[in-house]
Amino acid sequence: MQSSTTPTAYKILVVDDDPDIVELLEYNLRREGYTVSSAPNGRRALEMAAEVKPDIILLDVMMPQLDGIATCRLLREQPQFRDTYIIFLTARAEEFSEVAAFDAGADDFIAKPIKPRALLSRLTAYARRDRDPQPQSETIKINGLTIDRTGYAVYQGGQKIMLPKKEFELLSFLAASPHKVFGRDELLQNIWGNDVFVLARTVDVHVRKVREKVGDHHIQTIKGVGYKFNKE
């Protein structure tokens, strides 16, 4: 994200195949001072993202040519979009779609019909979090891992492991307090914030993805309670 948190500092890419929704979002976002681009499908979204380098992407799930889930995965594979906020906008509000969205690397999930004021409130929350980052040490070395909190990178056995932003934040948060057990609600509050409404299941998805990349033994499940980082 941009270092400034004035609305005009943020570039937003709207991706939806419904022109009425695109028009609604463009009108409300531009009125708030955002710079807005749009794309009608996932393939065009990839091209536009490379061109305009948006700070925020509002991404529909069901689209022709390339759906939103696949588009999100492809974006997250590119380093320049690792820290880009990706928010899904979709009429498919069942839990499966939400879990799939976060599994692909989404930051947030909003069900249609879209309420412009609620959406703008979410965007303001993201800006506030960028403006007021939590103080933290730069590097954590624990249990064979080196976690570089400024470079958003993890090193294990001399190998660099790149994690999407939320997966990295989850790992580093747990590693900062080894052996302390955190409940899902506490993790949601600290990683996603009070202004983002996601399911507790989202934590489970992200823990699974982190384990796939750094190993199962670093994060322990405490049945009925939550998760903790294993120091040894």
Side-chain angles (χ1 to χ4, degrees):
M1 299 289 289
Q2 301 284 347
S3 59
S4 173
T5 55
T6 57
T8 52
Y10 291 88
K11 294 179 290 186
I12 299 181
L13 175 61
V14 177
V15 187
D16 201 301
D17 61 335
D18 186 331
D20 291 334
I21 291 177
V22 172
E23 183 179 0
L24 172 69
L25 292 173
E26 285 182 334
Y27 171 77
N28 283 278
L29 292 170
R30 285 173 177 156
R31 190 173 63 176
E32 292 296 315
Y34 295 102
T35 299
V36 186
S37 303
S38 64
N41 56 64
R43 297 219 176 269
R44 181 57 180 152
L46 295 174
E47 296 172 355
M48 288 293 296
E51 180 180 336
V52 304
K53 297 178 175 57
D55 302 293
I56 301 171
I57 299 175
L58 304 179
L59 185 61
D60 189 24
V61 172
M62 300 300 294
M63 294 184 296
Q65 298 189 33
L66 190 67
D67 66 44
I69 301 296
T71 302
C72 184
R73 290 188 189 279
L74 290 171
L75 287 167
R76 289 304 193 206
E77 289 174 359
Q78 302 180 52
Q80 68 263 38
F81 302 120
R82 185 190 64 210
D83 297 333
T84 302
Y85 287 129
I86 299 179
I87 303 173
F88 274 95
L89 306 174
T90 179
R92 300 189 61 181
E94 69 271 19
E95 182 177 346
F96 172 79
S97 292
E98 183 164 352
V99 171
F102 286 117
D103 197 15
D107 293 290
D108 204 350
F109 186 101
I110 301 177
K112 295 177 180 177
I114 298 165
K115 299 177 181 178
R117 286 188 179 182
L119 173 60
L120 292 171
S121 177
R122 300 276 186 101
L123 299 181
T124 299
Y126 282 120
R128 183 166 60 250
R129 286 161 57 192
D130 282 347
R131 183 188 64 225
D132 301 320
Q134 296 297 315
Q136 55 188 14
S137 60
E138 293 185 357
T139 303
I140 299 174
K141 294 184 178 181
I142 186 170
N143 198 14
L145 294 179
T146 299
I147 302 172
D148 178 2
R149 301 178 92 169
T150 57
Y152 275 80
V154 178
Y155 298 87
Q156 182 171 238
Q159 298 295 317
K160 184 176 182 179
I161 304 170
M162 297 301 297
L163 300 178
K165 187 173 183 179
K166 285 292 179 287
E167 292 175 23
F168 179 87
E169 290 176 351
L170 176 62
L171 176 64
S172 62
F173 180 80
L174 290 170
S177 301
H179 291 322
K180 180 177 179 180
V181 180
F182 293 94
R184 290 173 178 81
D185 289 342
E186 189 173 2
L187 290 170
L188 284 172
Q189 180 179 350
N190 281 279
I191 306 302
W192 282 267
N194 293 322
D195 299 293
V196 179
F197 305 98
V198 296
L199 296 174
R201 166 82 182 212
T202 301
V203 174
D204 301 332
V205 171
H206 281 72
V207 167
R208 174 173 60 81
K209 300 297 287 185
V210 171
R211 283 171 169 165
E212 289 174 356
K213 295 166 184 174
V214 303
D216 293 339
H217 62 287
H218 292 297
I219 300 178
Q220 180 180 351
T221 301
I222 307 300
K223 189 174 181 179
V225 182
Y227 298 100
K228 72 174 184 178
F229 190 93
N230 285 325
K231 189 174 182 179
E232 300 176 353

